[in-house]
Amino acid sequence: MVSAHGGVTRAAEHLALSQPAVSHKIKRLEKVLQCELLARRAGGPLFTEAGTRLLNYGRRILDLHDEALAALGKKPLSGTIRLGMTEDTTGGDVARILGRFTRLHPDTNVSTRISQSLTLSHWLSAGEIDIAVLQVLKKEVRADDVVLFEDRLHWIKSHDLLLKPRLSVPFLAFDENCFYKHWVESDGSEFGHQFETVFECPSVSGILAATRAGLGVSLMNGLHISSDLEVVEGVFPKPPSISYFARSNPKSRNEAVRALLQEITSEVENRAPMRVT
């Protein structure tokens, strides 16, 4: 709960307990394990290394518990699921859910494709995939989307890159299907700024490397921003908020697709917000 809600106070509110009561339980656990679990440093990581290890063990135990109940209580499931994901959702909770799902339902076949959000959206509309895990501007989320995580976009650059007034701004984009770039070309061009795309790369690591090298400015969500990058405030139009979510094609919801969607939905309901990287 502390991990899911971002701190002891919010976890206590969710559990309908007092903050001291939750803190006492954590301190008791620390005493038993003879190590600190919470970092307790303002602005730093929430957990110590030992706390992170214990959290991972706890997640594995809960996953095994859920798998055991599902395996013993449900009829065998089979079928094919065509799944589309963005690069930065392949290492988070969705990947963990997918691994558990395939262990639980070995007769299902999950075929996964990785691409940009707009490409995934096109594939979904065309019926080429059954489920897409992607991101869009927060205002574009639909009522039947399963929201996994919400974040904000930020303008970032190298600390060494000097922005020169009244000149075109070098912009780093993922590719032509990058909806960050589409926003820059429309709403992001307010206040007289002219952006020139000087670099295109379909991967997060490639954009971050080019930004660190000082090739230009880029838009990046908060999950990927580190201290060696400068967040540019008050110079360009304020970037929008984004949402990560799972969206399905209603025309291709076979039994296996519905089961995977239910697994993702249950995870969101029980452990929101989810990790997407």
Side-chain angles (χ1 to χ4, degrees):
M1 284 294 178
V2 175
S3 172
H5 295 279
V8 174
T9 301
R10 291 181 181 176
E13 292 173 354
H14 183 79
L15 295 169
L17 296 171
S18 67
Q19 188 270 338
V22 175
S23 295
H24 178 68
K25 292 178 183 294
I26 295 172
K27 289 178 180 177
R28 247 189 349 187
L29 184 57
E30 290 177 326
K31 185 176 180 180
V32 171
L33 297 175
Q34 298 183 346
C35 63
E36 291 189 349
L37 301 175
L38 296 183
R40 299 183 175 91
R41 290 180 303 183
L46 185 57
F47 296 99
T48 63
E49 181 181 353
T52 300
R53 290 174 60 195
L54 180 62
L55 178 64
N56 290 333
Y57 278 122
R59 283 173 171 154
R60 287 165 60 185
I61 291 170
L62 289 173
D63 283 348
L64 286 172
H65 170 269
D66 294 344
E67 285 182 33
L69 292 180
L72 295 173
K74 293 181 179 179
K75 64 179 182 179
L77 182 70
S78 62
T80 297
I81 302 171
R82 299 168 300 170
L83 176 66
M85 302 174 68
T86 57
E87 175 195 1
D88 54 356
T89 59
T90 57
D93 279 333
V94 175
R96 179 175 56 80
I97 295 169
L98 186 59
R100 184 179 67 197
F101 183 86
T102 54
R103 292 192 302 272
L104 180 61
H105 305 291
D107 293 333
T108 59
N109 177 33
V110 182
S111 175
T112 307
R113 301 168 70 182
I114 310 299
S115 191
Q116 298 294 329
S117 291
L118 286 180
T119 301
L120 295 176
S121 182
H122 172 74
W123 289 346
L124 193 65
S125 298
E128 297 180 30
I129 57 176
D130 303 309
I131 302 174
V133 180
L134 64 160
Q135 57 170 289
V136 296
L137 301 182
K138 185 178 178 180
K139 64 182 181 180
E140 296 175 357
V141 174
R142 301 174 184 171
D144 58 345
D145 290 336
V146 182
V147 176
L148 312 178
F149 185 82
E150 293 181 346
D151 202 354
R152 251 198 68 200
L153 294 180
H154 302 268
W155 294 103
I156 59 172
K157 71 178 187 68
S158 163
H159 290 284
D160 298 326
L161 177 65
L162 298 178
L163 297 176
K164 300 178 181 179
R166 292 185 296 278
L167 294 179
S168 62
V169 181
F171 179 68
L172 316 178
F174 285 93
D175 58 23
E176 284 299 321
N177 277 328
C178 171
F179 76 88
Y180 297 0
K181 178 181 179 180
H182 293 185
W183 179 84
V184 167
E185 292 173 344
S186 56
D187 297 346
S189 294
E190 296 175 2
F191 309 141
H193 295 292
Q194 291 187 344
F195 295 91
E196 178 185 2
T197 302
V198 297
F199 181 89
E200 290 187 0
C201 178
S203 76
V204 172
S205 58
I207 293 294
L208 291 175
T211 305
R212 291 187 177 100
L215 299 185
V217 301
S218 60
L219 279 171
M220 190 63 62
N221 54 314
L223 289 171
H224 300 294
I225 299 175
S226 53
S227 59
D228 60 342
L229 292 165
E230 179 182 343
V231 176
V232 181
E233 300 279 5
V235 177
F236 307 124
K238 182 180 179 180
S241 297
I242 59 170
S243 292
Y244 288 87
F245 61 91
R247 177 178 292 171
S248 63
N249 187 332
K251 296 181 180 179
S252 59
R253 288 184 182 174
N254 59 42
E255 188 176 357
V257 170
R258 287 196 297 269
L260 179 55
L261 276 173
Q262 184 56 50
E263 288 283 337
I264 297 174
T265 302
S266 297
E267 189 83 7
V268 169
E269 292 174 348
N270 293 332
R271 304 184 192 179
M274 295 178 63
R275 295 177 301 124
V276 292
T277 60

